Amino acid sequence: MNKIELKGLDTSVYTETLDNGLQIFVVPNENVNKVYVTYSTKLGSVYDEFVPKGEKEFVKVPLGVAHFLEHKVFEQEDGTDPFEFFSSHGASANANTSNYKTTYLFQTTEDIKENLEYLMYYVESPYFTDENVEKEKGIIEQELLMYEDDPYNVLYEMTLKNAFVRHPMKYSVGGTVESIRKITKEDLYTCYRTFYHPTHMFMVITGNVKPEEMISIVREYQEKRHLKKEQPVKIRLVDEPDEVSKKQEERTMEVSIPKVTVAYKMRLDSFPNLSLHDLKTYIGELISFQFDDTSLYVEELKKKGIIDDSFGIHVVYTDKHALMMISSETHFVNEVIKAIDKGVKQISITEEEVERMKKVLLSSQIYMSDNIYRMNNKIMRDMIDDGELNDHRTEEIKALNIDDMKKVLEALNFEHRTVNVIQVPTKNKNK
């Protein structure tokens, strides 16, 4: 077991990599009474083409397999319901699938050993049959249809689909009704055997625990599996163009106020040669300076009455691109689109703003270090983004500077843009 001090923070991370490749991270916190455990695999929705375990050729699986697999992992051959087990042992459990990982989790104040061992047990006990796979298709189809009734989700997914040409990021994490219907038991086992090996997984435990005890429990349980470390999974890289797939789209839904998103797609390698952490920070902060709810530009738009508090920003990253999304509810769609296009060209920065930004980021780091959920999420992000724990983030923040910020600002390119609108029905426009 290794002890890693997070520089600039009064926090230690205890970590160990087992012989089978599983990486364990434990962050003790005596100031809380809860324990939060996440068990993740590096299988997300974008990994739809890879070389399966034991094979040599790439295979392409239907969209939504990672999310479908998350659902089916909870099904046990003996009929046990994992949710009922956790509930009977004082814990609440859940799971989620994102673009780049799938996570199974629980939080509790009691029976930590029992809950921890059961987490590993059910995640590592796949039971897929033709019958239970077919049954699940109906459940997931209903989930997908529910999201299709949510205008915010529709606008978000419409924007991604129109921004990306070939990258799987353009598709919903859950896939489509058509792709879900194609999923077979064999598809699930192929993904499970390939990505659910300990080599491609990691566990993060935060809260009121003793690191030695937690790592010992996991180590002893994993040793019974007699698995050996594997090579990384070969994943097909996508040659994504810089252009957007569709420059503009408008749909009509049962909404009372139209909704719009303007998104700008930029190549990451067109920016200065900075660490990914720093580059993401600079990009995010530059957009925030101009468009967050405290900016002078946004205040001006609010005073004009063309936007309200729904105005917001979001940045999505792939391996090669950043997609900056600026959204709002508004009765003045065309005016807002013009205001956003004008605003991105007026982004500026001062040294005073950079120093203020650094203070805010450092304060956020301190707050994170004492929050078991944020700390757990920080380690998960590090593992997905970098493949290792970042123990010097505070030093990176302190090193941020106006010169690099200006270089990133100069590299911002708003040429490749997609505009997406959810419009009110015609009958409502006339009211």
Side-chain angles (χ1 to χ4, degrees):
M1 180 177 71
N2 297 318
K3 179 181 179 181
I4 301 175
E5 298 289 343
L6 297 186
K7 297 178 177 62
L9 302 173
D10 187 20
T11 302
S12 299
V13 180
Y14 297 81
T15 180
E16 183 169 320
T17 301
L18 304 183
D19 291 340
N20 63 15
L22 179 65
Q23 292 177 278
I24 311 165
F25 302 88
V26 184
V27 185
N29 188 332
E30 296 179 352
N31 298 321
V32 299
N33 62 354
K34 282 188 176 182
V35 177
Y36 181 50
V37 180
T38 57
Y39 193 19
S40 304
T41 175
K42 298 174 183 178
L43 171 63
S45 63
V46 300
Y47 301 136
D48 63 341
E49 194 166 2
F50 55 89
V51 178
K53 180 179 179 179
E55 300 184 20
K56 296 182 179 179
E57 302 296 327
F58 282 93
V59 300
K60 190 175 180 65
V61 294
L63 297 171
V65 163
H67 175 252
F68 200 114
L69 187 53
E70 174 215 312
H71 276 235
K72 295 313 299 171
V73 163
F74 281 96
E75 183 139 8
Q76 300 297 293
E77 187 172 6
D78 62 4
T80 302
D81 182 347
F83 290 106
E84 289 184 2
F85 176 92
F86 285 114
S87 179
S88 67
H89 287 76
S92 60
N94 210 334
N96 57 74
T97 304
S98 67
N99 298 117
Y100 293 99
K101 70 173 179 64
T102 305
T103 298
Y104 302 86
L105 60 93
F106 73 85
Q107 57 181 325
T108 189
T109 58
E110 56 186 276
D111 292 349
I112 298 172
K113 182 176 186 294
E114 291 82 356
N115 286 311
L116 181 54
E117 289 182 339
Y118 190 75
L119 173 67
M120 291 184 283
Y121 169 76
Y122 90 81
V123 172
E124 296 161 8
S125 305
Y127 176 62
F128 314 136
T129 66
D130 292 329
E131 292 74 20
N132 67 31
V133 169
E134 285 303 311
K135 180 181 178 181
E136 197 68 33
K137 288 180 181 179
I139 296 172
I140 294 181
E141 284 181 17
Q142 289 302 311
E143 182 180 334
L144 295 178
L145 292 173
M146 178 184 68
Y147 286 128
E148 288 181 7
D149 290 332
D150 180 349
Y152 299 99
N153 183 74
V154 170
L155 181 61
Y156 178 75
E157 294 194 347
M158 183 165 65
T159 301
L160 292 180
K161 185 175 182 180
N162 290 334
F164 295 103
V165 177
R166 289 187 286 269
H167 199 284
M169 182 70 79
K170 74 188 275 98
Y171 302 110
S172 166
V173 169
T176 66
V177 171
E178 293 73 21
S179 69
I180 291 303
R181 290 173 178 168
K182 297 177 183 177
I183 293 175
T184 65
K185 173 186 66 179
E186 289 71 29
D187 292 326
L188 298 183
Y189 273 120
T190 294
C191 291
Y192 186 92
R193 285 192 294 264
T194 302
F195 289 93
Y196 278 67
H197 186 280
T199 300
H200 317 303
M201 303 182 75
F202 59 93
M203 180 178 290
V204 186
I205 304 172
T206 52
N208 197 337
V209 295
K210 296 179 180 179
E212 299 88 346
E213 180 182 354
M214 294 297 100
I215 291 178
S216 177
I217 293 171
V218 178
R219 184 194 305 116
E220 290 178 11
Y221 188 94
Q222 291 293 324
E223 285 176 349
K224 299 174 185 177
R225 304 180 70 194
H226 304 292
L227 297 175
K228 295 182 179 180
K229 191 173 183 178
E230 295 185 344
Q231 293 297 314
V233 180
K234 292 182 180 179
I235 297 171
R236 177 85 71 185
L237 298 178
V238 179
D239 183 19
E240 173 67 24
D242 297 338
E243 295 76 16
V244 298
S245 177
K246 193 173 184 179
K247 293 183 178 181
Q248 187 158 352
E249 182 174 356
E250 181 174 302
R251 296 187 193 177
T252 299
M253 294 184 70
E254 289 295 333
V255 296
S256 57
I257 303 176
K259 307 173 197 316
V260 58
T261 294
V262 182
Y264 305 92
K265 182 180 177 185
M266 306 178 194
R267 284 189 67 88
L268 291 175
D269 62 10
S270 66
F271 290 96
N273 186 21
L274 301 167
S275 73
L276 186 59
H277 284 291
D278 286 354
L279 183 55
K280 286 184 176 181
T281 299
Y282 283 132
I283 291 174
E285 292 299 321
L286 282 168
I287 298 299
S288 294
F289 286 143
Q290 185 73 342
F291 291 109
D292 74 7
D293 56 7
T294 63
S295 76
L296 294 177
Y297 192 71
V298 169
E299 283 296 320
E300 178 185 330
L301 298 181
K302 286 182 178 179
K303 287 180 180 178
K304 290 181 178 179
I306 66 173
I307 66 169
D308 56 21
D309 290 337
S310 67
F311 194 87
I313 54 179
H314 183 58
V315 186
V316 170
Y317 295 94
T318 66
D319 54 332
K320 294 182 179 179
H321 291 90
L323 183 69
M324 303 175 191
M325 307 166 70
I326 306 171
S327 307
S328 184
E329 289 185 341
T330 178
H331 288 292
F332 307 93
V333 172
N334 292 331
E335 290 88 339
V336 169
I337 294 172
K338 291 177 182 178
I340 292 173
D341 281 335
K342 178 181 178 181
V344 294
K345 296 175 183 178
Q346 295 179 346
I347 297 175
S348 62
I349 188 68
T350 66
E351 190 159 1
E352 180 182 359
E353 288 172 324
V354 172
E355 292 306 310
R356 186 166 60 248
M357 170 196 78
K358 290 162 65 173
K359 290 180 180 178
V360 172
L361 292 173
L362 288 171
S363 296
S364 178
Q365 289 287 302
I366 294 171
Y367 174 68
M368 173 205 68
S369 67
D370 199 41
N371 183 294
I372 63 173
Y373 305 104
R374 288 176 177 257
M375 176 55 67
N376 201 302
N377 288 333
K378 173 260 192 304
I379 296 175
M380 285 195 287
R381 286 197 306 272
D382 286 352
M383 291 301 297
I384 296 302
D385 291 346
D386 307 326
E388 61 182 6
L389 177 69
N390 183 340
D391 64 350
H392 55 282
R393 182 57 183 149
T394 56
E395 293 183 347
E396 290 179 337
I397 292 172
K398 291 177 181 178
L400 297 174
N401 60 84
I402 185 67
D403 292 334
D404 284 340
M405 188 74 130
K406 286 183 176 180
K407 291 177 182 177
V408 173
L409 175 58
E410 291 172 1
L412 290 177
N413 183 341
F414 302 102
E415 176 184 359
H416 305 297
R417 182 194 76 154
T418 177
V419 177
N420 297 271
V421 180
I422 300 293
Q423 192 57 266
V424 301
T426 304
K427 57 181 177 147
N428 291 353
K429 289 182 182 179
N430 298 328
K431 290 183 178 180

